[in-house]
Structures are given as C-alpha cells and as structure tokens.
Amino acid sequence: MHQEQCTTLTVLDNVPFGTVSGESLFFALRIERPEWADWQPGQFVMLRPEGWALDMMWARPFSICRVSKRDLVIFFQVVGRGTKRLAELKTGDKVVVWGPLGTPFAVEDKTPTLLLAGGIGIAPLVAYAQKHPQPWNLHMEFGHRMPLNCYPFESINERITAASHLERGPDDLAHFLDLIETSIKEYAESDGLVLACGPTPFLRAVQAFAAKHGARCQLSLENRMACGVGACLGCVTKTTDKMTAKGVAAGRAQACEHGPVFWADQIVLDED
Amino acid sequence: MHQEQCTTLTVLDNVPFGTVSGESLFFALRIERPEWADWQPGQFVMLRPEGWALDMMWARPFSICRVSKRDLVIFFQVVGRGTKRLAELKTGDKVVVWGPLGTPFAVEDKTPTLLLAGGIGIAPLVAYAQKHPQPWNLHMEFGHRMPLNCYPFESINERITAASHLERGPDDLAHFLDLIETSIKEYAESDGLVLACGPTPFLRAVQAFAAKHGARCQLSLENRMACGVGACLGCVTKTTDKMTAKGVAAGRAQACEHGPVFWADQIVLDED
Amino acid sequence: MNMNVTLPGSTGLQFKNPILTASGTFGYGVEFAPYGDLTSLGGIVVKGLSLEPRAGNPMPRIAETPCGMLNAVGLQNSGVETFITEKLPKLPTDELPVIANIYACDPAEFGELTAVLAAEKGIAAIEVNISCPNVREGGILFGQDATLAARVTEAVKKAAGDKPIIIKLSPNVTDITTIAKAVEGAGADVISCINTLSGMGVDIRTRKPLIANVIGGLSGPAIKPVALRCTHQVCKAVSIPVIGMGGIASAEDVLEFILVGAHAVQVGTSNFLRPDFSFRLVKELEQLMEKMNITDLEEFRGSLKL
Amino acid sequence: MNMNVTLPGSTGLQFKNPILTASGTFGYGVEFAPYGDLTSLGGIVVKGLSLEPRAGNPMPRIAETPCGMLNAVGLQNSGVETFITEKLPKLPTDELPVIANIYACDPAEFGELTAVLAAEKGIAAIEVNISCPNVREGGILFGQDATLAARVTEAVKKAAGDKPIIIKLSPNVTDITTIAKAVEGAGADVISCINTLSGMGVDIRTRKPLIANVIGGLSGPAIKPVALRCTHQVCKAVSIPVIGMGGIASAEDVLEFILVGAHAVQVGTSNFLRPDFSFRLVKELEQLMEKMNITDLEEFRGSLKL
Ligand SMILES: Cc1cc2nc3c(=O)[nH]c(=O)nc-3n(C[C@H](O)[C@H](O)[C@H](O)COP(=O)(O)OP(=O)(O)OC[C@H]3O[C@@H](n4cnc5c(N)ncnc54)[C@H](O)[C@@H]3O)c2cc1C
Ligand SMILES: Cc1cc2nc3c(=O)[nH]c(=O)nc-3n(C[C@H](O)[C@H](O)[C@H](O)COP(=O)(O)OP(=O)(O)OC[C@H]3O[C@@H](n4cnc5c(N)ncnc54)[C@H](O)[C@@H]3O)c2cc1C
Ligand SMILES: Cc1cc2nc3c(=O)[nH]c(=O)nc-3n(C[C@H](O)[C@H](O)[C@H](O)COP(=O)(O)O)c2cc1C
Ligand SMILES: Cc1cc2nc3c(=O)[nH]c(=O)nc-3n(C[C@H](O)[C@H](O)[C@H](O)COP(=O)(O)O)c2cc1C
Ligand code: FES
Ligand code: FES
C-alpha cells in the first residue's frame, strides 16, 4: 500500500557551499538514487550514516531537494552533533535512507503561489519550484543570515521569480517581515497559496500574518524526529479543531506522518 | 621523567595482507610518526580512531612493529568489533595514539635468543629482529593458522633464521609444540634467552616447557586494556613470589605497566 | 533449526521466533508494514493504551543521548475503544501475536481496561506497564513498591479471563527481585523487563531541560548492561517465563538475553535505527544460530556458566 | 573569567576549577603526570583505599559496552599505609587538592581508616565509597539503606577531625534523595554522585559472564542521563554542596552538571578515551565559558529553568 523503502546507499559526493568565517557549514550531499516509484516536494527522507555505529541512534530528517535518474540530493546546514558528522561524509561511505516520507506541499497548477523560505528552509522549495507544472505562477521570497552563496539559491528553477534578503540585524528582519506581510495580504486577496519553510519564529510570523489576512497557507515544520514513520510520537504538534486529517486524535498530530507540511490554521506552534 | 605522549595522528595508509576465504583480516596500518625520543621492541601503543565518537570508549593496544623517520607501523588482525572498524580506516583519517608503553623484551647482544611467535604475536618480534644489535644470534619459530602471506613474515630481518609452521589441525599443533619444547630445552642448556608472543594457550605451553627445562623465558601478554598507563587495574595478571618489579603489590601486576613482557616464572596465566 | 518459542505454564503463548517489538517503539504495527512482513516477527506489543484518550506530555518529548535516548511521550493514545475499532482490525492477528500494553492510574482502572481487552480475540496477551516513569499521577509508584505491584497484578489477573498477563518491571528500584516475586505471587503469567531508566538531559544554552517533563525514560544500547543484569536476576528469582529487553541492537544481543534465561525478547529503540530493523534481526538471528550451531533455543536458554 | 570553586559551609575546600578526576579511573595521579600538568586540575580523587592490602576481584575485571564500560576491579590496593608512604609523597599536594577515596566493611573500619588519613596534611578531603557494587561483603548495602549510610557517615565524621568528608552515593536505589538526606543529617560535608550502575555482560560464545564477578559497575557516557537526574534530585533535596559525575565526556557535559546545581564534577571513564583527557577538558571548559559569556560559574550554577 505504501511505497516507502529503507535501503543502504552509497555517498557520491558531499559538496560544501560557501563558507562562514572560513568554515564550511552548508553542504549538498549527493547519494545514489533510491528505487522510488514517486515522490513529491515537501516530502523528506530519514538519513543515517552506517559509520555512526550506536553512538547516535537516530537518523536525521532532510527535505528532498532533488532526485534525478542517478542521484538523490539533500542540502544541509551544520547545526549540531549529527550534521557536523554528516559534513565528514566522503565518497563511498554508506548511509541508510528511508523515504519518501510525510505529506507534501499542496500543488495547485494555476494558483498564484508564494514561496516563503527562511534559511535552510529553502531546500524543499527548490524541489517545489523544479517540479511545479506551471512555474510561472510561483514567486519566492528568501530571507537568510549567511552569505547567499551558502544556499542553493542559484539552482532555483529559472522560470520562477525570486528575491533574496540578507538579514544583518533587527532592522533587516523587521523590513523582511513587513515585506512578507504585504505579500501574504496580496496573495490572500487573490485566493493564492502561501507555502513556508524555515525556523519556527519565522513560521510563527507567517502563521500570524496568514491568519490576520485570511490567506490559505501551509507551513513545513522541522520537529525533532526519531522514527520518521509516525510510531514514536516524539515529533507531534498540537492541532486546532480545524484539523481534518484522518487518524489524528487527542489534539496531537505526528509531524512526520501528517506533516511536515500542515495547513497553518490546523496547528499550534510550540513555544520554542 | 617519562616520555609517553598522546597525540592525534593521520593515517597514511592501511594495507590488507593476504585474504582468508576472500576476506581481508590482516592489515598493516601506517600512520604519521609520533615525536618519540626512543622506543624498544615489545613496547606497544594505545590507538583509537577519532571517528569512534563515544560508542567504543577504549583505545586498543598494539605492539609497535616498525618506526621509521616518516611513519609508525602496527600490524593487526581483525578479531572483534574494534579491529573490524580499524580495518575501515582510510588515508587521512585521524587516530589518537599514546605510547611507547610498557616494558620491552630483554636484549642480550651476545646471547643465543629464540623467538617464538604464534599468529599475530609475530608483530613485536618483527621489531625485535630488526632492532637487535647482533641479529645473527636470533632464531625464530613461527606457528600460524592462516596462510603465510597474511603475516609480515617476509619482512623479518633477513639476517636472522626463521622457520614457519602452518597449523592445519591437532597433528600439526602437536608437532609444533614438540619442536618448540626441543628448542626451548636446547636454549636452556646453553643459557640462551627465549622470547614468546602469541595466544594465551600457546604462551601457557611455552611457560610450562620453560619451567620444565629451566629456560630463561619472557612472555608478552595480550590482556584486555582500558587505560594503558597502569591506572585502571583492568589488565592485571597474577604474579608469583618471584616477581621483583618495583611497585607490584597484592600479587597483581598491571600488564600495561609491568608488562606486557614478563619473565615467565614471575606470572600466573589466567584460565581463559 | 527451531526458533519457535512456547512459554511454559498455562499461558498458551507461542511465538514463531523470540523477537517481539517493544511497546511505544513500534506504534500499532501498521506504521512498519511498508518495511517488512509483520507476520515474520515473533509478536508485537502495541503502544500503551489507556481507558480514555490521552494527550500525552508536552513537547519536546524526546532527546538523543549517547547510545540511547530519553523519552517522556507520556502515553499519548486515543483510548482502548478506538484501538479496538480502528487499529486492531488492520493487523494480521491470525498469524501475528499482538500484545496490548496497558496503563492506568489505579488498580480498578487497570481491571476495567483489562476486561475490555480480554474480550478481544485478536489480542494474544496483555502487558501491564506498572513502571512508566513519565506520567506524574503515580505512574512510577506501582512498579517501585512490591505491595502496589501485587495489587495491580491481582486486579488485572481477575479481569483477564484466559488471556495471559505479562507484568512489565521497572529497573528504578533497589532490588528488582522483590517486585518480581511479588507479581509472581499475585498471579502474573509472564514478566517482562525492563522499562526505561529514570534519566534527564539539559540544554546549557537555553538552560532548559531537554524534555518538557524534565525527567524521562532512558532506553537503547546504553542501558543494555543494566537490562541484562535485571533479566538475569529476575530469571533466577522467579519460575514464570521472562521476556527480556533493553538496548537490543543485534542478533548477539538477543542471544545474550536468552543466555541469562529469557524466553523471548523485545526490541525497542533500535527500531529507530532503521524501520526494517526488527525484520532484519529475525533473519540475522537465524544466521547467527546457524553459525554457532544452535539448533534449539530452549537448549541454549539459561545455559550461562557461573 | 572565574573558574574557581569554593564549597560553601565549613569545609574550606577550594578548587582552581570544577574539574576533578574520579576514583579508580586516574590511579594515584602519577600515572597521568607524563600527559599533562596535574596541578592544572581542580583536584584528584585517588583509587579506593582500604585498611589492609586487597587483591581485588579475579580477572577479567573490565568489559567495554556501548558508550561505556563495566568494571569489577574490586578495590585492589596495597593498603592505606603504603599509599601514604609511597604514593602521596609523589604528588604536588601543595598545589593540588588530593582527595582520598575509602572503602571498608563496617562502620568501625571506616572510622579507623579515616583516622589514619585525617592525620595527613597532604589529604584535602576524604571521599567515602558507600556505594561500591563490586565487593560482596556488604559493599552494596551501605549505600542502599538510609540507616546504614547514616551510620557510616557518623563514624567517618567522628574520626575525620577537620578534614571535610564527602559521601559518594549509589544510583542503584529506588529513591536517591532518601539516602542523600540521611547522610546530610549524619554530618556529611559534601555529597558526590554517582557511583556506577549495577550491570552485567555475557559472552554468547563461551557462555560466561564478561567479568569474573558476574555483576559489575556500568560507567561512561551511557549513564550520563541517569547521573544528571540523580545530581538534579540530590541538589534539590539537600543544602550541602554536591559534586556530580557520570559519563562526563565534554566541556558541555561539565556545564550540564553545574546547571542542575553541582559545585564541581569528576571525570571517570573518559580518562580512558585518552590519558590527557582531563587536562584538555580544563582548557576546553575555559574556551566554552568564554564563548558562552559565562564569567562566573557560581552565577550559572543551578540556573536551570523549570
Ligand atoms: C521534515 C524535516 C525536514 C528537514 N529538512 C532539512 C533540510 O533540508 N536541510 C537541513 O539542513 N535541515 C533540515 N531539517 C533539520 C535537520 O533535520 C536538523 O538540523 C538536524 O536533525 C539536526 O541534527 P544535529 O544532530 O546536527 O543537531 P542536534 O545536535 O540534534 O541539535 C542541534 C539543534 O538542532 C535542533 N534539532 C535537533 N534535531 C532537529 C530536527 N530534527 N529538526 C530541527 N531541529 C532539530 C536541536 O533542538 C538543537 O537546537 C529538517 C527537519 C525536518 C523535521
Ligand atoms: C600489549 C598488547 C599488544 C598487542 N599487539 C597486537 C598486535 O600487534 N596486533 C594485533 O592484531 N593485536 C594485538 N593485540 C591484541 C589487540 O589489542 C586485540 O586483538 C584488540 O584489542 C581486539 O579488539 P576488538 O575490539 O577487535 O575485539 P573485541 O570485540 O573487544 O574482542 C574480541 C576478542 O578479543 C579479545 N580482546 C579484547 N580486547 C583485547 C585485548 N586488548 N587484547 C587481547 N584480546 C582482546 C576479547 O576478549 C574477545 O575475545 C595486542 C594486545 C596487547 C595487550
Ligand atoms: C519512545 C518510547 C515510548 C515508549 N512507550 C512505552 C509505553 O507506552 N509502554 C511501555 O510499557 N513501555 C514504553 N516504552 C519502553 C519500551 O517498551 C522499552 O521497555 C524500553 O525502551 C527499553 O527497551 P529498548 O532499550 O530496546 O528501547 C517506550 C520507549 C520509548 C523509547
Ligand atoms: C575502572 C573503574 C574503577 C573504579 N573504582 C572506584 C573506586 O575505587 N572507588 C569509587 O568510589 N568509585 C570507583 N569507580 C567509580 C567512578 O569513580 C565513578 O563514580 C563512575 O565511574 C561514574 O563516572 P564516569 O561515568 O565518569 O566513569 C570506578 C570506576 C571505574 C570505571
Ligand atoms: S518521528 Fe516518530 S512519530 Fe514522528
Ligand atoms: S590497562 Fe589500565 S591498568 Fe593496564
């Protein structure tokens, strides 16, 4: 019935993108293509190097950024112990991968669709722009703190319009949020679609603007995950009474199964 | 006062030796030369790859097989989890190394010296033959179960005589032990020196023969070790009342500090 | 080769191999169906059930630790009724022993819950969580006090009809054998051990606990030595069968628990290493037994040389 | 930056930084002198001492486990007299607080041992191991029973003169706070926690236990969540200072124990990762504090947000 698979795949290469004070913190990890029948943007994989032995038990979730005939590419940022060790992966190393997992972003061919990306949250939206049947209906606003060449901004489908905003301090942030609110309001008025992925404070702002202006909006969450398949209940998000997904009970939905993409009005974002 | 050091070194290469049913189980691991003032055959290093993170906490002890201007070479056999992962080490990987540790083999320039090696126990004796000031006084008997090309037998100092014995079953073993007993008896009669390194049952046989014929004999033990510096008391061996080493008390001596090389009449070998 | 396990006594419990999955780590089974054949497992123990739906603990609920993890999921579940009507029918219960894991706040509620499940043909046995350290309303107490543990056991036994009952012990006690003997005396058919160790983690940057509940349960290979010690002690202390668990991550680990006397094992946290972990483990155990010339597990069981 | 630690109360104990080395993992200090400057450490706790020499447990005594190890060394030592005459003079006791760790079979012997050490100028404090799970003659009992723990504490306190006494607690109890309060009440100046968890390992091929003593003590990063939970609970339960330990393997780990309220920490099993581990840790802690803008540890201590 499902099509998820779990396989051990070989790393093709692990390419650093840009540098921050001389350090490489962003990588495009390219691995053998898994034998998937299909996948959709917004879905993710769980990935765990075999070399981790038992020290770190959990795989890490990453958005699918690109799948070609030969490879699967994810794009990641070093933030902690796991991603630090992912950065050390070399050609020929083995990784365990399962997926494609989760609920993808809504695709409405003819609807004007606004893509809001914060930092590394750009990864699934790169895939979205690539796979969309009518990309001329898409526009992206991308806010980031690190130099632009740290992110796969260049590789965004050329047929969509996209603007990037470097955030150097509170003023830049305020400006970016204003801009986002204005855009969300516009898209709401034309019954457009707003899709957002990024850090939680960013998603909280988007959620508030969408509620205020009545925009149809989806958010992609990055909750901590252990199993990735809906079993451990570690990644749940609180739901509102607007939640309609089948199988969601007790006001809690697993982000790995019923998300990571949720309709903004169906969830309550946690405090941290 | 001491000269041991602990440093992080780079792997130069990790060369498989021979194969057993198609599998590589023996390796010569070559790493950067540590900055040691001096070392002596029979001494060992503790070695732990940085990539082990916290999963396996202990370094593993290995005899020093060769030290040149450029490199330090150890020779190892895959027997368990740790050595299996050592076999995966690649050029450029980092290993933590401390040493040279322990008490070396006795060197008596002019004394006829018999080297008894069992399997991977050949490693420190390769170093011994290489460094001995008068190698023409040395003779080696080498017993092994795996094909000869699995071991560094070829690289033994050409100026010593050496015989190898493949053990295919109980008959070969009995024959080898007979031969060893005869040799030990001969060396005992000429007040020679007998040095042995190999699996515990082998050492136990050598110890018994040496006692029986009154040979001056040293054994190199391979006890399980955690610290390598005499602190954890995990590697101790029982001692006899002939033990004279300073600081040994309560009938127990740390193999890492007072050994790994002991006079055969000063220790009691454990049951397993 | 015989991997078959029949629990002695009147339980009638049979597994086609000794590998079961542990409660809370394998969902309701269906989540793992895309990754392997559920009926190849010895059995599954489903996520803890309560009489009424529960929202569980606040987030964050899980944190990774060296060779293990902490959890304070706190028994989020949609209640026993929903389980019976929505989840159970999806499972191949004819070919797969499905064990219900239950949790309640007092012996009477334990009894009520048991009665509901006892009526279900698809349920092979009932595992009683007297040891959950996560829920504040007394959760930890049942498992840490011999008298309370016995009282819960009696209440469940009375309501269980002919369903075997398994009491799951906590390691967070001074002497686990006291509790084991108490629940054996009170009528337990089987003991399973261990539940998680009481642990904690903090984030030095936010200065907050890693999980909202502050204290959570530690599981995974980190706790295997403790689990093996508990299983060994319990096997020596009681004469009912024991199901061992705690940190199992390889076929060797499975045999370790059987060597100290367990009849079967459960795999928990390792299911997160990869979702096909338990399915692969069944095959690896078969290969290992072959390599080690173990033709009958019952012969190997408890053969530790002391 | 102020890494200095002064224990409150009448103990007079001062460390130049909060990093001490744990008993049994750092020998008598001298073994590690070739790898770093002993006086750069906050202090060292030497291997457990007894009144008479002891041969310790049979071999094998140690086994590696996931993110940890088991040990049943069993207090091999050449007796307190030999320590005083042969080991202590080799240590730079003027610049380095050297803490003696002691073990005995009954309160009277604990007292006798303490009296011998109390006379030594070079000893900064006495740490009392009431929690060793390795020695069969009652070792485990003192630490698992509040009354016995208090009795040992009183005996040691009476004999200690003005030397501060540190009681080291075992985690192998249902409620560690009961024991903590009992030893505080009996006059302990400081509590250290935790000693090892009771664990076990077996070899499926030889069918024998991994360590000859069958049951041993589990230590290392595997137990850090349990150690942190115990330290947190004890810090809340008592008002005397607490030294935390269990699985510390990084500067972050040190701050975690201080965050839950510990005044200082001890590093054990991680000394086996590399013999210069503790020396490096002191420097790493300094760097981390700088990076995190912690100028005073006392301000950071116990600032966990609950
Ligand atoms: C569905 C999904 C898709 C994702 N896609 C991407 C992607 O395409 N590229 C990318 O770089 N990252 C992505 N992330 C986030 C990524 O999974 C985390 O950055 C990573 O797991 C952190 O692991 P770590 O061991 O380095 O950090 P840790 O040491 O575990 O933690 C470091 C910090 O990251 C936080 N963290 C830990 N785990 C997660 C997690 N699973 N998600 C978010 N934060 C976490 C911690 O709370 C902590 O603050 C995605 C997350 C999810 C859930
Ligand atoms: C002083 C000394 C010098 C040595 N020199 C060499 C050498 O030059 N080449 C070489 O291949 N090996 C040498 N050894 C043995 C080597 O250290 C072990 O084979 C290795 O530690 C096993 O690690 P593992 O993780 O693969 O095995 P494990 O999985 O830990 O254990 C596998 C088996 O090896 C045994 N074992 C574990 N640790 C040790 C140990 N430290 N010593 C002996 N047996 C152990 C176990 O009891 C078990 O039976 C030496 C040992 C010592 C003490
Ligand atoms: C995320 C998670 C949820 C759990 N939920 C339950 C539960 O609902 N009921 C229960 O009895 N045990 C529960 N447990 C405990 C496990 O069943 C098992 O006893 C424990 O994790 C030890 O095994 P392991 O080390 O193999 O994981 C849970 C464990 C984890 C990791
Ligand atoms: C090999 C070894 C020997 C030990 N010996 C003693 C001892 O003699 N006295 C004692 O109080 N604790 C002893 N311990 C316990 C440690 O001091 C410490 O409490 C425990 O290992 C937890 O810390 P860790 O996880 O950092 O190792 C020993 C631990 C190990 C690993
Ligand atoms: S990660 Fe386990 S339920 Fe989502
Ligand atoms: S290995 Fe620690 S004393 Fe020898």
Side-chain angles (χ1 to χ4, degrees), chain D residues 72-88:
Chain D
V73 168
L75 299 150
Q76 177 189 328
N77 80 106
S78 29
V80 68
E81 288 301 346
T82 312
F83 167 73
I84 289 173
T85 54
E86 286 177 20
K87 308 284 182 181
L88 196 55

PDB file of all heavy atoms in Angstrom, chain D residues 72-88:
ATOM      1  N   ALA D  72      34.635  -4.528  37.525  1.00  0.00           N
ATOM      2  CA  ALA D  72      34.557  -5.122  38.854  1.00  0.00           C
ATOM      3  C   ALA D  72      35.995  -5.339  39.301  1.00  0.00           C
ATOM      4  O   ALA D  72      36.441  -6.444  39.507  1.00  0.00           O
ATOM      5  CB  ALA D  72      33.774  -6.423  38.828  1.00  0.00           C
ATOM      6  N   VAL D  73      36.712  -4.217  39.368  1.00  0.00           N
ATOM      7  CA  VAL D  73      38.104  -4.267  39.806  1.00  0.00           C
ATOM      8  C   VAL D  73      38.147  -4.702  41.259  1.00  0.00           C
ATOM      9  O   VAL D  73      39.012  -5.476  41.678  1.00  0.00           O
ATOM     10  CB  VAL D  73      38.773  -2.878  39.611  1.00  0.00           C
ATOM     11  CG1 VAL D  73      40.114  -2.827  40.327  1.00  0.00           C
ATOM     12  CG2 VAL D  73      38.941  -2.592  38.130  1.00  0.00           C
ATOM     13  N   GLY D  74      37.172  -4.205  42.009  1.00  0.00           N
ATOM     14  CA  GLY D  74      37.020  -4.702  43.369  1.00  0.00           C
ATOM     15  C   GLY D  74      38.080  -4.201  44.328  1.00  0.00           C
ATOM     16  O   GLY D  74      38.517  -4.918  45.211  1.00  0.00           O
ATOM     17  N   LEU D  75      38.481  -2.956  44.148  1.00  0.00           N
ATOM     18  CA  LEU D  75      39.276  -2.291  45.170  1.00  0.00           C
ATOM     19  C   LEU D  75      40.617  -2.917  45.459  1.00  0.00           C
ATOM     20  O   LEU D  75      41.066  -2.964  46.605  1.00  0.00           O
ATOM     21  CB  LEU D  75      38.437  -2.171  46.441  1.00  0.00           C
ATOM     22  CG  LEU D  75      37.189  -1.330  46.186  1.00  0.00           C
ATOM     23  CD1 LEU D  75      36.062  -1.745  47.058  1.00  0.00           C
ATOM     24  CD2 LEU D  75      37.501   0.131  46.369  1.00  0.00           C
ATOM     25  N   GLN D  76      41.268  -3.409  44.387  1.00  0.00           N
ATOM     26  CA  GLN D  76      42.665  -3.807  44.544  1.00  0.00           C
ATOM     27  C   GLN D  76      43.476  -2.593  45.002  1.00  0.00           C
ATOM     28  O   GLN D  76      43.420  -1.547  44.380  1.00  0.00           O
ATOM     29  CB  GLN D  76      43.223  -4.315  43.206  1.00  0.00           C
ATOM     30  CG  GLN D  76      44.701  -4.678  43.283  1.00  0.00           C
ATOM     31  CD  GLN D  76      45.299  -4.960  41.916  1.00  0.00           C
ATOM     32  OE1 GLN D  76      44.609  -5.460  41.032  1.00  0.00           O
ATOM     33  NE2 GLN D  76      46.570  -4.663  41.729  1.00  0.00           N
ATOM     34  N   ASN D  77      44.180  -2.714  46.105  1.00  0.00           N
ATOM     35  CA  ASN D  77      45.087  -1.638  46.527  1.00  0.00           C
ATOM     36  C   ASN D  77      46.041  -2.164  47.570  1.00  0.00           C
ATOM     37  O   ASN D  77      45.800  -3.209  48.177  1.00  0.00           O
ATOM     38  CB  ASN D  77      44.299  -0.427  47.031  1.00  0.00           C
ATOM     39  CG  ASN D  77      43.794  -0.584  48.454  1.00  0.00           C
ATOM     40  OD1 ASN D  77      44.306   0.013  49.381  1.00  0.00           O
ATOM     41  ND2 ASN D  77      42.792  -1.436  48.631  1.00  0.00           N
ATOM     42  N   SER D  78      47.138  -1.463  47.749  1.00  0.00           N
ATOM     43  CA  SER D  78      48.152  -2.007  48.653  1.00  0.00           C
ATOM     44  C   SER D  78      48.001  -1.477  50.068  1.00  0.00           C
ATOM     45  O   SER D  78      48.928  -1.545  50.863  1.00  0.00           O
ATOM     46  CB  SER D  78      49.557  -1.760  48.088  1.00  0.00           C
ATOM     47  OG  SER D  78      49.598  -0.606  47.310  1.00  0.00           O
ATOM     48  N   GLY D  79      46.801  -0.956  50.376  1.00  0.00           N
ATOM     49  CA  GLY D  79      46.540  -0.539  51.750  1.00  0.00           C
ATOM     50  C   GLY D  79      46.915   0.910  51.991  1.00  0.00           C
ATOM     51  O   GLY D  79      47.764   1.486  51.308  1.00  0.00           O
ATOM     52  N   VAL D  80      46.259   1.489  52.981  1.00  0.00           N
ATOM     53  CA  VAL D  80      46.397   2.924  53.211  1.00  0.00           C
ATOM     54  C   VAL D  80      47.824   3.321  53.609  1.00  0.00           C
ATOM     55  O   VAL D  80      48.311   4.382  53.216  1.00  0.00           O
ATOM     56  CB  VAL D  80      45.347   3.403  54.253  1.00  0.00           C
ATOM     57  CG1 VAL D  80      45.639   2.826  55.640  1.00  0.00           C
ATOM     58  CG2 VAL D  80      45.286   4.916  54.297  1.00  0.00           C
ATOM     59  N   GLU D  81      48.519   2.452  54.349  1.00  0.00           N
ATOM     60  CA  GLU D  81      49.874   2.801  54.799  1.00  0.00           C
ATOM     61  C   GLU D  81      50.825   2.978  53.615  1.00  0.00           C
ATOM     62  O   GLU D  81      51.567   3.947  53.524  1.00  0.00           O
ATOM     63  CB  GLU D  81      50.429   1.720  55.749  1.00  0.00           C
ATOM     64  CG  GLU D  81      49.781   1.706  57.123  1.00  0.00           C
ATOM     65  CD  GLU D  81      49.939   3.043  57.876  1.00  0.00           C
ATOM     66  OE1 GLU D  81      50.768   3.875  57.455  1.00  0.00           O
ATOM     67  OE2 GLU D  81      49.188   3.242  58.852  1.00  0.00           O
ATOM     68  N   THR D  82      50.778   2.006  52.708  1.00  0.00           N
ATOM     69  CA  THR D  82      51.635   2.074  51.524  1.00  0.00           C
ATOM     70  C   THR D  82      51.307   3.328  50.710  1.00  0.00           C
ATOM     71  O   THR D  82      52.201   3.981  50.176  1.00  0.00           O
ATOM     72  CB  THR D  82      51.432   0.820  50.655  1.00  0.00           C
ATOM     73  OG1 THR D  82      51.488  -0.319  51.496  1.00  0.00           O
ATOM     74  CG2 THR D  82      52.495   0.716  49.571  1.00  0.00           C
ATOM     75  N   PHE D  83      50.020   3.645  50.624  1.00  0.00           N
ATOM     76  CA  PHE D  83      49.619   4.853  49.906  1.00  0.00           C
ATOM     77  C   PHE D  83      50.304   6.081  50.504  1.00  0.00           C
ATOM     78  O   PHE D  83      50.880   6.905  49.790  1.00  0.00           O
ATOM     79  CB  PHE D  83      48.096   5.017  49.925  1.00  0.00           C
ATOM     80  CG  PHE D  83      47.635   6.380  49.487  1.00  0.00           C
ATOM     81  CD1 PHE D  83      47.709   6.752  48.149  1.00  0.00           C
ATOM     82  CD2 PHE D  83      47.158   7.307  50.413  1.00  0.00           C
ATOM     83  CE1 PHE D  83      47.309   8.020  47.744  1.00  0.00           C
ATOM     84  CE2 PHE D  83      46.752   8.568  50.008  1.00  0.00           C
ATOM     85  CZ  PHE D  83      46.828   8.924  48.682  1.00  0.00           C
ATOM     86  N   ILE D  84      50.241   6.162  51.825  1.00  0.00           N
ATOM     87  CA  ILE D  84      50.786   7.349  52.490  1.00  0.00           C
ATOM     88  C   ILE D  84      52.300   7.431  52.354  1.00  0.00           C
ATOM     89  O   ILE D  84      52.867   8.501  52.132  1.00  0.00           O
ATOM     90  CB  ILE D  84      50.359   7.365  53.979  1.00  0.00           C
ATOM     91  CG1 ILE D  84      48.853   7.665  54.063  1.00  0.00           C
ATOM     92  CG2 ILE D  84      51.154   8.389  54.776  1.00  0.00           C
ATOM     93  CD1 ILE D  84      48.261   7.541  55.436  1.00  0.00           C
ATOM     94  N   THR D  85      52.951   6.284  52.451  1.00  0.00           N
ATOM     95  CA  THR D  85      54.415   6.341  52.400  1.00  0.00           C
ATOM     96  C   THR D  85      54.953   6.372  50.971  1.00  0.00           C
ATOM     97  O   THR D  85      55.968   7.003  50.714  1.00  0.00           O
ATOM     98  CB  THR D  85      55.041   5.149  53.148  1.00  0.00           C
ATOM     99  OG1 THR D  85      54.487   3.942  52.608  1.00  0.00           O
ATOM    100  CG2 THR D  85      54.739   5.209  54.634  1.00  0.00           C
ATOM    101  N   GLU D  86      54.266   5.714  50.030  1.00  0.00           N
ATOM    102  CA  GLU D  86      54.855   5.597  48.691  1.00  0.00           C
ATOM    103  C   GLU D  86      54.228   6.479  47.615  1.00  0.00           C
ATOM    104  O   GLU D  86      54.905   6.935  46.703  1.00  0.00           O
ATOM    105  CB  GLU D  86      54.825   4.135  48.227  1.00  0.00           C
ATOM    106  CG  GLU D  86      55.861   3.302  48.952  1.00  0.00           C
ATOM    107  CD  GLU D  86      55.798   1.835  48.573  1.00  0.00           C
ATOM    108  OE1 GLU D  86      55.240   1.519  47.507  1.00  0.00           O
ATOM    109  OE2 GLU D  86      56.281   1.010  49.377  1.00  0.00           O
ATOM    110  N   LYS D  87      52.904   6.661  47.669  1.00  0.00           N
ATOM    111  CA  LYS D  87      52.244   7.375  46.568  1.00  0.00           C
ATOM    112  C   LYS D  87      52.091   8.867  46.876  1.00  0.00           C
ATOM    113  O   LYS D  87      52.410   9.710  46.039  1.00  0.00           O
ATOM    114  CB  LYS D  87      50.859   6.777  46.306  1.00  0.00           C
ATOM    115  CG  LYS D  87      50.837   5.271  46.110  1.00  0.00           C
ATOM    116  CD  LYS D  87      51.347   4.880  44.745  1.00  0.00           C
ATOM    117  CE  LYS D  87      51.261   3.358  44.586  1.00  0.00           C
ATOM    118  NZ  LYS D  87      51.757   2.904  43.292  1.00  0.00           N
ATOM    119  N   LEU D  88      51.570   9.159  48.055  1.00  0.00           N
ATOM    120  CA  LEU D  88      51.251  10.546  48.386  1.00  0.00           C
ATOM    121  C   LEU D  88      52.453  11.493  48.245  1.00  0.00           C
ATOM    122  O   LEU D  88      52.292  12.600  47.706  1.00  0.00           O
ATOM    123  CB  LEU D  88      50.651  10.592  49.802  1.00  0.00           C
ATOM    124  CG  LEU D  88      49.914  11.879  50.198  1.00  0.00           C
ATOM    125  CD1 LEU D  88      48.813  12.198  49.201  1.00  0.00           C
ATOM    126  CD2 LEU D  88      49.341  11.747  51.604  1.00  0.00           C
TER     127      LEU D  88
END
